[in-house]
């Protein structure tokens, strides 16, 4: 699942420093299994001036979607982060037509908690199919 | 293995204590799973898992801990966790696992709970 | 699953008559099991001046989503149709947290072809979760 | 039952022909399913289903036809369909069912195919 190709990074804007406010920023990261941690770092860095519970949730949820893209989605992913005042939208694209499934929580099963975490902490989330590509996304709003 | 993750193991009052630190995710979880599995295999039915040094943990980490808990309970033991950071505890809460694991605030308490 | 309440209809605009062009129009229909045919009629009527294969696909896909809302989604649904030049977006909201699943086609199974039809004919489709509500949607573009 | 849907049944050369007309969906499909099931139960292993008068058909209708086909094949018979409208045929095509059902353009051909 790992490739030696370095992840490509593009940043279209620098973050604005307004404490407690989301900077307007768009980040794309085309990555593979080795870029999971980098994906989380990018989101954490984008939200550096936001309340920590908001930032922690965004980082956790980004990690869950990227992990799924890597484990179930064929190993390759494209991460897009759109931060605008009060709202963060994270999109993870992979190349597998299968959808994420929200599994029922169980104290017994070893897997199947990722989308439940997304469902619990995101303001909204969804999946979108465009030909054979798929985008799984979530949004969190600062005022909840 | 990711530089950001470390496992240490000690024994306290005859109870093995595995201390994890750093970030536990799909990349770093396998050594933790292996270590816990090795302890059960070698006859330790109860293992304290100290997560005080953990700065990030996701659903993959939860899966590894649930798997280890199952094996310990099958051997009539347990898997007490040590967690203090609210951010880490929250991940257990939203997945309903605070009702599944015994959770303590210090290693001493966790070891003390083992009869 | 049937209720005696008549479905509520709101139309915020009359269709423009421009042959082969999609009229800009938004329709909402809050319905139950008995409104399936009405939902199809509303979409067909909205697209009355569009090419027939486009209209047929839109009507078929609307029926599939509404059927699912009625069968799997608890019987109640809200239909929203957004037609703009060149593009139709249909959203069906129901109150069940479970997601639609895209099942593999089989010549044997008696069910499980609805989302496959949506996947085959829609330009894009997806599902979105907002609290315990869920929106399943599709878009078709006139130029494909 | 929905006014927009009708079923008629005749026999041609000893073969039962069920003609459906109007719209087949989750609301109107049950009587079609019952009629086809009744024919198999009464010993008819092959039934021609004439869909020439059908103006709309969805995945629920496909499910009913696939169910009937299975029962006919189990009885070593078949379920030939009569379809001419490209719009109706398309629904079978995108679901891979044109390779599963024998499909004819007229009732006569469909009945003639039954030995
Ligand atoms: N990107 C994806 N592509 C395909 N299937 C996915 C994807 N993400 C999730 N899934 C499916 O949804 C299920 C639930 O995902 P999740 O709750 O994250 O649990 P886990 O990944 O631990 O199984 C997965 O087991 C998988 O079947
Ligand atoms: N609105 C919905 N709410 C919950 N589950 C749904 C919904 N729509 C579809 N599903 C799930 O997705 C599966 C596949 O849907 P579909 O392809 O339309 O086939 P069918 O409805 O014939 O089973 C369904 O069996 C159901 O489990």
């Amino acid at each position: 699942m790992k490739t030696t190709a370095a992840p490509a990074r593009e940043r279209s804007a620098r973050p604005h420093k307004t404490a407690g406010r989301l900077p307007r920023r768009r980040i794309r990261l085309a990555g593979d299994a080795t870029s999971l941690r980098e994906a989380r770092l990018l989101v954490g860095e984008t939200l550096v001036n936001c309340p920590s519970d908001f930032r922690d949730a965004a980082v956790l949820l980004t990690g869950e979607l990227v992990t799924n893209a890597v484990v179930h989605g064929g190993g390759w992913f494209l991460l897009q982060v759109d931060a605008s005042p009060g709202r963060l939208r994270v999109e993870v694209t992979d190349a597998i037509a299968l959808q994420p499934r929200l599994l029922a929580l169980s104290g017994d099963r070893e897997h199947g908690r990722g989308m439940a975490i997304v469902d619990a902490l995101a303001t909204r989330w969804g999946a979108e199919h465009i030909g054979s590509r798929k985008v799984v996304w979530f949004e969190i709003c600062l005022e909840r | 293995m990711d530089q950001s993750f470390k496992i240490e193991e000690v024994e306290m009052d005859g109870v093995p204590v595995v201390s994890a630190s750093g970030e536990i995710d799909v990349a770093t979880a396998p050594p933790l799973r292996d270590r816990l599995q090795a302890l059960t295999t070698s006859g330790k039915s109860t293992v304290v898992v100290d997560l005080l040094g953990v700065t990030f943990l996701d659903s993959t980490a939860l899966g590894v801990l649930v798997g280890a808990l199952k094996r310990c309970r099958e051997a009539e033991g347990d898997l007490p966790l040590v967690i203090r950071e609210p951010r880490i505890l929250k991940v257990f809460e939203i997945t309903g696992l605070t009702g599944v694991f015994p959770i303590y605030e210090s290693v001493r308490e966790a070891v003390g709970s083992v009869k």
Side-chain angles (χ1 to χ4, degrees), chain A residues 36-37 40 53 56 59-60 64 67 71 105-111 113-114 117 120-121, chain B residues 2 4 23 25-26 56-60 62-63 66-67 70 87 90-91 94-95 97 100:
Chain A
L36 169 61
R37 198 153 167 263
R40 292 198 306 259
D53 56 342
D56 291 343
V59 167
L60 176 61
E64 296 295 349
T67 300
V71 173
L105 286 175
S106 131
D108 237 32
R109 211 194 301 111
E110 296 186 32
H111 74 106
R113 292 185 183 83
I117 290 176
L121 297 183
Chain B
D2 200 305
S4 65
E23 308 191 342
D25 61 17
V26 73
F56 175 85
L57 155 160
D58 70 4
S59 68
T60 311
L62 297 181
V66 167
K70 269 165 67 179
R87 183 167 43 136
K90 189 175 181 183
V91 185
I94 57 178
T95 53
L97 293 176
V100 173

Side-chain angles (χ1 to χ4, degrees), chain A residues 64-65 67-73 94 96-103 110-116 134 136, chain B residues 59-60:
Chain A
E64 296 295 349
L65 295 196
T67 300
N68 280 346
V70 164
V71 173
H72 308 291
D94 67 48
I96 300 287
L98 283 175
Q99 303 157 269
R101 291 178 295 149
L102 179 58
L103 301 175
E110 296 186 32
H111 74 106
R113 292 185 183 83
M115 296 311 301
K134 160 189 81 226
V136 189
Chain B
S59 68
T60 311

